C-alpha cells in the first residue's frame, strides 16, 4: 500500500469516543482452563470495558526482526507452549481479524516500516486473557509484533504513535508481565511472592499512578528488585507501549492485582 493508501485507511475508520489502553499480566497458559482470582478479575474487567471496533494486541510472545501487523480476516489460534495438558491445545479463540484497523495501524506508525503478516494469528499472550474478557469472541482482534531491535524508549514511542487509534474505536491491549522471572517460579500451591517481586510490582504501580514513566523506561537503573523482576525485557515491553499510548487526561486503575507462582506479576494497568 502507498502512503496515500495508508492515510486513507486511517481516515476510513470513523472517529469514536476514546477507547482504553490496557496492559494485562497474562501469566501461565493454565489460566485458559482454570478458574481463579485472575480469570475472575479478567471477566469482570471485560464486562466493564466499552465495546471497541477492534482490539490491537501487543503480546510478549510475538517477537520479530522488524515490525509486522497481522492482517488476516480470521486469525488462527496459536498454541505456543509446551509441557502443558493436552486440553490447552484443543482450545480455539475464533474471533474475526480486522484488516481495516491493521492497515490504519500501518498508517500511524512512523518510527518503523510496518509489514503485513498473514501467518501469525493470536498467540497465548492474547487469547488466554481474552477467553475471560471477551468469551464470545465477537470483537475483532489483530496483533502487532515486537521488534527485538527496538529500545525501551522505542517501545514507549511506539505506544504514543498507536494512541491515535484509540480515537478510532481501537482498544490497545498490551500483554506480558510486570514481573516475569521464569527461573524463580515456585510451583507449590501455596507459593508466596518473593519480596523483590512484590517490591518492584508496588514500585512500578506507584510510578504509574503518578505518571512518572521515565524511571520505568530506564528500568535498568531501578536496582536489584527491578533486575530480578525483568531478567529479559520481552514481557515488559508491552507495558511501555501502553504507557506511551496513555494520555494526561486518562484515569489510571489497576483492575487485576497479585503475584502468581512467586515470581509472576498479574497486575493489570488500565487507562481510560
Amino acid at each position: 500500500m502507498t502512503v496515500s493508501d495508508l492515510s486513507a485507511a486511517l481516515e476510513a475508520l470513523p472517529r469514536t469516543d476514546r477507547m482504553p489502553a490496557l496492559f494485562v499480566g497474562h501469566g501461565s497458559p493454565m489460566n485458559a482452563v482454570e478458574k481463579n482470582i485472575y480469570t475472575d478479575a479478567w471477566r469482570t474487567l471485560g464486562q466493564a470495558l466499552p465495546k471497541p471496533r477492534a482490539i490491537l494486541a501487543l503480546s510478549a510472545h510475538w517477537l520479530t526482526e522488524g515490525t509486522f501487523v497481522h492482517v488476516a480476516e480470521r486469525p488462527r489460534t496459536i498454541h505456543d507452549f509446551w509441557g502443558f495438558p493436552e486440553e490447552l491445545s484443543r482450545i480455539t479463540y475464533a474471533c474475526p481479524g480486522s484488516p481495516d484497523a491493521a492497515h490504519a495501524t500501518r498508517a500511524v506508525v512512523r518510527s518503523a516500516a510496518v509489514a503485513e503478516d498473514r501467518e501469525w494469528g493470536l498467540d497465548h499472550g492474547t487469547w488466554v486473557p481474552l477467553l475471560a474478557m471477551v468469551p464470545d469472541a465477537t470483537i475483532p482482534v489483530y496483533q502487532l509484533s515486537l521488534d527485538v531491535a527496538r529500545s525501551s524508549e522505542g517501545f514507549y514511542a511506539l505506544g504514543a504513535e498507536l494512541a491515535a487509534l484509540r480515537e478510532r474505536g481501537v482498544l490497545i491491549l498490551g500483554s506480558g508481565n510486570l514481573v516475569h522471572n521464569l527461573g524463580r517460579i515456585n510451583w507449590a500451591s501455596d507459593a508466596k511472592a518473593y519480596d523483590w517481586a512484590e517490591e518492584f510490582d508496588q514500585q512500578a504501580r506507584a510510578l504509574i499512578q503518578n505518571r512518572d514513566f521515565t524511571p520505568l523506561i530506564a528500568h535498568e537503573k531501578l536496582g536489584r528488585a527491578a533486575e530480578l523482576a525483568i531478567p529479559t525485557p520481552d514481557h515488559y515491553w508491552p507495558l511501555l507501549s501502553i504507557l506511551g499510548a496513555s494520555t494526561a487526561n486518562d484515569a489510571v486503575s489497576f483492575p487485576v492485582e497479585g503475584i502468581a507462582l512467586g515470581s509472576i506479576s498479574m497486575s493489570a494497568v488500565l487507562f481510560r
Side-chain angles (χ1 to χ4, degrees), residues 26-248:
H26 62 252
S28 167
M30 289 301 293
N31 287 316
V33 294
E34 293 178 347
K35 187 178 187 297
N36 54 46
I37 59 173
Y38 308 119
T39 60
D40 287 347
W42 287 341
R43 189 169 294 104
T44 299
L45 174 59
Q47 293 168 353
L49 291 174
K51 185 174 182 178
R53 170 179 290 114
I55 296 172
L56 165 57
L58 293 86
S59 166
H61 292 278
W62 193 16
L63 304 175
T64 55
E65 295 181 357
T67 305
F68 298 84
V69 66
H70 190 64
V71 299
E73 294 185 357
R74 285 287 170 180
R76 66 190 179 101
T77 304
I78 302 172
H79 303 96
D80 52 331
F81 41 74
W82 299 266
F84 288 91
E86 179 63 27
E87 63 180 313
L88 281 175
S89 296
R90 293 194 293 267
I91 294 174
T92 58
Y93 190 75
C95 68
S98 185
D100 291 346
H103 292 142
T105 300
R106 294 184 67 199
V108 300
V109 176
R110 302 298 178 87
S111 58
V114 180
E116 294 185 2
D117 168 83
R118 296 182 180 274
E119 301 299 322
W120 187 251
L122 305 180
D123 60 58
H124 81 270
T126 296
W127 63 261
V128 167
L130 287 180
L131 275 173
M133 291 174 58
V134 191
D136 61 6
T138 54
I139 297 174
V141 184
Y142 67 105
Q143 286 196 207
L144 182 70
S145 74
L146 306 183
D147 180 359
V148 296
R150 268 191 186 264
S151 64
S152 293
E153 293 85 355
F155 280 108
Y156 181 82
L158 174 65
E161 293 175 325
L162 297 174
L165 297 172
R166 296 179 59 192
E167 312 291 339
R168 306 278 180 166
V170 178
L171 186 153
I172 304 174
L173 172 68
S175 179
N177 293 102
L178 184 53
V179 176
H180 186 263
N181 191 325
L182 296 182
R184 300 294 186 98
I185 278 181
N186 183 346
W187 291 103
S189 59
D190 59 348
K192 299 289 191 292
Y194 292 104
D195 290 346
W196 52 264
E198 288 192 331
E199 177 185 340
F200 183 70
D201 191 62
Q202 293 173 10
Q203 179 185 26
R205 287 171 51 183
L207 290 167
I208 293 168
Q209 185 72 62
N210 293 326
R211 293 195 64 84
D212 188 6
F213 300 154
T214 300
L216 293 169
I217 296 170
H219 61 86
E220 300 90 347
K221 301 178 182 179
L222 288 177
R224 180 177 179 274
E227 182 179 350
L228 288 168
I230 313 169
T232 60
D234 47 299
H235 277 66
Y236 187 76
W237 284 333
L239 171 69
L240 298 180
S241 291
I242 295 305
L243 299 182
S246 70
T247 75

